[in-house]
Amino acid sequence: MPGVPPPVDFGRARLEIETIPPGQTFGRIYWSTYPDPLGYGKSPSRFSDPRRRVAVNRFGVLYLGDSVKVCFLEAVLRDRREGFVDDLPIDEVELTQRRYAEITTTAELRLVDLRGDKAVRMGVPTDVVGAQRQSLARRWSVAFYEHPSQPDGIIYPSRLNGATNLAIYDRATPKIQAKRVMTLLGAPGLAKVLDAFRVGLM
């Protein structure tokens, strides 16, 4: 049934865990006004902590993608192509004022796996996987975060192209580091991404 919140005894559940070994590289796009490529906020996002607490008592989430393409889709393009059949112009600032960071794992990451049928095995509603209801996804994120096995975050499919995304809980950021940081326009493969989605500068 859609919309089901985590049961009170979810701590007894056996989590489906994907282990990411050290040395794996992911990407992140962020605004250049923020100097730290591993910085994160606590404002509402897909898997953020929704509890009404002071910020210091809520966990933060850092989002990564497995390619520059999915990072661009998730951070910049999002739903802007929906119903738009022509070339899509975007403000030049959207590209010139963003950075792309290559983020490497320095220790094993243990991530709750929402890909394939693994969410079903854990009793997680499809609304959480497909992001139809972010408020519900946030409640499940709290349940994952507070699970006795203490996972480092969530691995899940992008709703935009099915590629792999990571939501890393703040307690796990010591297990990752920025390997290389560049302007978004300098990111390898970005030109092909812009061409594929028919994006041009205004």
Side-chain angles (χ1 to χ4, degrees):
M1 177 171 40
V4 176
V8 294
D9 61 347
F10 186 71
R12 297 192 300 107
R14 178 182 176 275
L15 297 184
E16 294 288 338
I17 296 292
E18 173 73 7
T19 300
I20 307 296
Q24 299 297 299
T25 300
F26 298 89
R28 183 187 186 204
I29 293 174
Y30 63 101
W31 287 103
S32 57
T33 50
Y34 301 103
D36 184 3
L38 298 182
Y40 55 85
K42 296 187 178 181
S43 55
S45 62
R46 181 169 178 177
F47 292 113
S48 61
D49 190 336
R51 293 172 291 187
R52 293 180 181 275
R53 299 177 169 184
V54 295
V56 71
N57 292 330
R58 289 184 286 119
F59 61 79
V61 182
L62 179 69
Y63 295 92
L64 308 176
D66 70 355
S67 68
V68 68
K69 177 188 279 189
V70 73
C71 290
F72 182 81
L73 283 173
E74 295 278 356
V76 182
L77 194 61
R78 298 188 180 182
D79 300 319
R80 290 154 76 167
R81 276 228 67 96
E82 291 184 2
F84 204 95
V85 297
D86 299 315
D87 290 349
L88 178 68
I90 64 172
D91 194 312
E92 185 176 1
V93 170
E94 298 247 31
L95 301 182
T96 59
Q97 297 303 309
R98 294 185 197 250
R99 295 178 187 263
Y100 181 73
E102 294 177 349
I103 309 295
T104 302
T105 55
T106 57
E108 281 190 352
L109 286 178
R110 298 177 59 259
L111 306 173
V112 178
D113 197 343
L114 298 182
R115 299 169 301 172
D117 60 8
K118 293 177 182 177
V120 177
R121 296 181 204 170
M122 292 183 287
V124 177
T126 56
D127 287 20
V128 173
V129 181
Q132 293 96 332
R133 295 176 59 185
Q134 287 201 355
S135 61
L136 184 66
R138 293 169 190 153
R139 292 175 70 182
W140 277 92
S141 183
V142 171
F144 298 149
Y145 184 86
E146 294 188 334
H147 192 275
S149 64
Q150 295 283 286
D152 295 318
I154 302 165
I155 185 168
Y156 63 100
S158 167
R159 68 180 178 86
L160 297 168
N161 71 347
T164 298
N165 286 326
L166 310 183
I168 307 297
Y169 292 137
D170 53 8
R171 65 186 175 205
T173 54
K175 297 182 177 183
I176 57 177
Q177 69 177 14
K179 178 181 178 182
R180 187 165 62 139
V181 177
M182 64 204 78
T183 63
L184 177 54
L185 282 174
L190 181 69
K192 289 183 179 179
V193 173
L194 297 179
D195 185 59
F197 295 110
R198 297 170 58 194
V199 172
L201 299 181
M202 292 176 62

